[in-house]
Amino acid sequence: MKGNRIYPKDIVIGQYLGFALLVLISLLATFGVTLIPDQWVGLLGLIPIYLGVKLFIKGEDEDEGAILSSLNKFNKFYLSVAFITFANGGDNIGIYVPFFSTLNNNQLVITVVTFFIMVAVWCLIGYRLARVRYISETLEKYGRWVIPIVFIGLGFYIMAENGSVAKF
C-alpha cells in the first residue's frame, strides 16, 4: 500500500497469513481432540450448528468502522489484512476442528492443501465479483442466509460421519 492505494497482492498475502494462522491453531486443536474418545468427537458437530443458528438469529456482527480503523494498526497493509482475516475467522476454528477430526492423515493433508489453493481461487473470484455491482449487491443481500445453512449442514455432516446422530 503506497499512499491510499491498496494493491491486490497485499490482500492476498494478508489472506494467506491470517488463514495459515487459523489452520495452524485448528490443526493443533484437532490433534488435541484425538485424546477424546471417538464416540464423543462427532458431538463437536454441534459447534458449527450452534454458529449457524446464531448467524440466523443475530446475523453477522460487521462493524465496518471498526474494520476500517483496524487497517491503521500496522505499517504494512498485508499485516492489517492478516489481522482482520484472523479476527473475523476465529469462528472457523470451531468449524475446522470438528471437521479435521473426522479425517485420516492423508485426507487431512489433502484438505489443508485444497484449502490453501482455494484461498487463491476465492481471492481471484472476490476480486472479479467485487467489480460487478449487481453481483456484489446480491451476495451481500443473500449471504446472511447461505452461510448459516452451510454451517448447520456441515455440523450435521460431522455428526453423521462419526455416527453421533445414530447414537441418539
Side-chain angles (χ1 to χ4, degrees), residues 64-133:
E64 291 179 17
I67 291 172
L68 291 174
S69 70
S70 70
L71 294 177
N72 296 326
K73 290 185 179 190
F74 302 103
N75 296 5
K76 304 286 184 192
F77 185 72
Y78 66 85
L79 291 176
S80 297
V81 173
F83 173 77
I84 291 169
T85 299
F86 181 75
N88 286 335
D91 59 345
N92 290 6
I93 295 169
I95 303 292
Y96 296 160
V97 172
F99 178 62
F100 287 173
S101 68
T102 67
L103 306 175
N104 65 38
N105 288 340
N106 290 335
Q107 292 170 325
L108 187 59
V109 169
I110 291 168
T111 299
V112 170
V113 169
T114 302
F115 276 16
F116 278 95
I117 292 169
M118 291 307 296
V119 168
V121 171
W122 282 117
C123 284
L124 178 63
I125 290 171
Y127 177 75
R128 300 284 185 187
L129 289 178
R131 296 175 156 256
V132 180
R133 184 181 180 118

Side-chain angles (χ1 to χ4, degrees), residues 35-46:
L35 303 174
I36 298 173
D38 289 341
Q39 63 265 27
W40 294 99
V41 171
L43 294 178
L44 291 172
L46 292 172

